[in-house]
Amino acid sequence: MSRRAARSPRPVASKKTQGVCPCGLPEPYADCCGRFHRGEAAASTAETLMRSRYSAFVKRDEAYLLRTWHPRTRPAALDLDPGMRWSGLEILGTADGSAFHSTGTVTFRASFKGGSLHERSRFERVDGAWVYVDGEFLD
């Protein structure tokens, strides 16, 4: 009978070591916006959709961005800049956009290397799912 050396168990990444989601919430990406990107869940509020879309820009997930864009305003394709480095999302305000509404707005500031984007985005429900309609750039 031969003896094998005992193997150390492979370390399992904990929620703390996985880091927070790009959207700024203190959950790992896989449990936060990743589940929306993978199609395992749908955003329940306009703000949640806004956060997941920001994370999709960070991850360059063009398919998710197009899938969550209102059909009447959705472009045929996106040309995401591979050099764009998003660095943070700040939600400045919301109006409506809950499970009890059919429309909502989210005002946010998204920071990137060299500047920021300040926008008020409009969202609507289509077939029960929140989608991005358009946005107004703010100073």
Side-chain angles (χ1 to χ4, degrees):
M1 181 165 124
S2 66
R3 297 192 116 183
R4 291 186 188 172
R7 287 189 195 175
S8 298
R10 279 180 40 187
V12 176
S14 71
K15 289 188 177 195
K16 287 183 181 179
T17 62
Q18 290 175 358
V20 298
C21 187
C23 80
L25 294 178
E27 297 179 44
Y29 166 75
D31 298 336
C32 192
C33 293
R35 63 196 171 108
F36 303 127
H37 297 172
R38 292 187 307 272
E40 296 171 357
S44 60
T45 66
E47 180 182 339
T48 303
L49 182 64
M50 173 65 241
R51 289 180 177 280
S52 70
R53 285 178 56 83
Y54 170 81
S55 291
F57 275 103
V58 171
K59 300 286 189 178
R60 293 186 193 79
D61 187 342
E62 181 177 338
Y64 181 77
L65 291 166
L66 291 171
R67 188 169 68 243
T68 57
W69 211 309
H70 197 293
R72 77 170 181 265
T73 59
R74 179 176 42 226
L78 293 177
D79 186 20
L80 300 178
D81 180 355
M84 179 64 87
R85 298 290 180 249
W86 295 101
S87 57
L89 176 66
E90 180 183 6
I91 301 296
L92 303 172
T94 61
D96 298 334
S98 77
F100 303 105
H101 299 104
S102 59
T103 64
T105 62
V106 178
T107 304
F108 67 93
R109 181 173 289 110
S111 300
F112 55 88
K113 185 177 179 181
S116 67
L117 170 72
H118 187 192
E119 180 178 316
R120 181 177 301 113
S121 294
R122 291 187 320 126
F123 298 88
E124 292 179 11
R125 284 188 186 267
V126 172
D127 297 329
W130 285 107
V131 292
Y132 170 78
V133 177
D134 59 19
E136 169 191 0
F137 294 113
L138 306 170
D139 293 335

